Amino acid sequence: MTIKTALTGLAFAGFAMTAQAADIVVGGKNFTEQQLLSSITEQLLVAKGHSVDNRAGMGSAAVREAMESGQIDVYWEYTGTSLITYNKVEDKLNAADTYTRVKELDAEKGITWLDASAANNTYALAMRAADASEKGITTLSELAKAVNGGQEISFGSNAEFYARPDGLKPLEVAYGFEFGRANVKRMDSGLVYQALKDAQVDVGLVFATDGRIPAFDFVVLSDDQGYFPAYALAPVVRTEVLEANPELGDLLNQVSAKLNDDVMAALNARVDVEKVSIENVAADFLKENGLI
């Protein structure tokens, strides 16, 4: 056996021992908001006497598969993702009905949805606050009216939203307007925020809890006709783990009760804009809210 092989074997053995020692395995997806929630969950559970194995940084499909196969015990999910992506439901439902449907469908798979937070990380359209105020646009209906009234308004979008069957074209149909091909600029999601900040576009596609919205002084236009699906953020737990550790429900519901769009955006901004570590932002949140 080579030294490298021996060291590799010891590393895997050490990981296995760590995983076995932890009584709760926390999962999470691979973007800031999810990594924050994984750290918040880990630090909270450790403070309450649990040993935790944190496996944040997974893809969406991977974390769901890991939960269904029993490899992770708890993570934070979005109602719309479970409804559309995992359960293939195409019905257009409001926020309350979306939560109820995924709670019922996932219960059949051994997954329990705890309380949904007020944070809804859905697609949204945003403008610079000063520009929106000057144009008198606060809702998507008012945006449509402005476009139909002859205002030249440019839109920054990622390629996925531009092309997807529940993306830009159906949105324009629902609200009865059209930006026009020449007024739509496609770019990577992250570049949309900078383009909107620099006035390269007038309206940008954003995610509602992104920290750059408050940091760059954007305003999210109200989806007054309810076009976008609800993506309410909630903790999900494997049912058998929750039954063995019923206190998890109360602990995670306390976190959920503290979250809304503004809170989540502010937390994300501390990481993405102020460059504070995820662990420190999570710890501050728990302490400031009296959770630890």
Side-chain angles (χ1 to χ4, degrees):
M1 177 184 294
T2 65
I3 292 175
K4 180 178 180 181
T5 302
L7 290 175
T8 302
L10 287 171
F12 277 114
F15 176 78
M17 289 175 65
T18 301
Q20 290 171 1
D23 65 329
I24 302 294
V25 181
V26 175
K29 304 183 186 184
N30 55 359
F31 52 94
T32 298
E33 180 166 290
Q34 284 277 312
Q35 291 171 334
L36 269 170
L37 290 164
S38 296
S39 186
I40 287 170
T41 302
E42 176 189 10
Q43 293 186 47
L44 175 61
L45 297 185
V46 167
K48 300 303 180 181
H50 289 279
S51 56
V52 174
D53 177 8
N54 187 346
R55 302 184 187 177
M58 307 171 73
S60 183
V63 72
R64 172 68 178 214
E65 183 178 344
M67 172 160 276
E68 290 191 12
S69 63
Q71 297 177 59
I72 65 169
D73 301 320
V74 56
Y75 78 106
W76 291 74
E77 186 55 274
Y78 305 92
T79 53
T81 301
S82 179
L83 184 77
I84 298 166
T85 304
Y86 306 144
N87 287 295
K88 311 299 182 186
V89 176
E90 298 181 357
D91 299 344
K92 196 169 183 63
L93 304 175
N94 62 30
D97 289 343
T98 297
Y99 174 79
T100 299
R101 181 74 67 87
V102 298
K103 187 179 179 72
E104 292 172 349
L105 292 171
D106 285 345
E108 299 172 2
K109 302 172 184 177
I111 297 172
T112 296
W113 282 75
L114 299 177
D115 292 350
S117 73
N120 178 24
N121 194 14
T122 187
Y123 279 124
L125 269 58
M127 296 179 67
R128 295 179 299 283
D131 193 33
S133 178
E134 181 181 336
K135 289 182 167 69
I137 299 174
T138 61
T139 69
L140 293 182
S141 289
E142 289 171 346
L143 173 65
K145 183 177 180 181
V147 172
N148 289 335
Q151 292 191 40
E152 288 287 331
I153 297 178
S154 58
F155 175 59
S157 170
N158 63 27
E160 179 186 2
F161 184 76
Y162 179 84
R164 62 187 286 161
D166 58 346
L168 177 59
K169 294 304 179 184
L171 170 68
E172 291 174 329
V173 170
Y175 277 94
F177 78 107
E178 186 174 356
F179 283 115
R181 182 183 295 270
N183 290 321
V184 177
K185 299 181 180 181
R186 284 173 280 178
M187 61 193 76
D188 290 341
S189 294
L191 296 179
V192 171
Y193 296 86
Q194 194 64 43
L196 183 58
K197 180 174 182 286
D198 294 342
Q200 296 173 8
V201 295
D202 302 310
V203 180
L205 177 73
V206 300
F207 293 96
T209 59
D210 194 290
R212 287 166 289 190
I213 294 173
F216 293 169
D217 196 26
F218 296 160
V219 60
V220 171
L221 303 183
S222 173
D223 179 18
D224 51 309
Q225 294 187 27
Y227 172 79
F228 291 112
Y231 285 87
L233 181 60
V236 293
V237 188
R238 285 201 298 122
T239 304
E240 64 177 354
V241 172
L242 184 60
E243 290 172 348
N245 303 273
E247 73 281 2
L248 292 179
D250 288 337
L251 291 173
L252 295 174
N253 283 340
Q254 288 177 45
V255 176
S256 196
K258 301 293 185 180
L259 301 177
N260 58 37
D261 287 357
D262 291 338
V263 169
M264 206 66 249
L267 292 174
N268 290 332
R270 288 197 66 200
V271 176
D272 291 333
V273 180
E274 299 173 27
K275 306 304 180 183
V276 181
S277 74
I278 284 171
E279 292 75 19
N280 286 342
V281 174
D284 289 346
F285 168 82
L286 290 167
K287 292 171 185 175
E288 290 167 5
N289 286 282
L291 296 172
I292 60 173

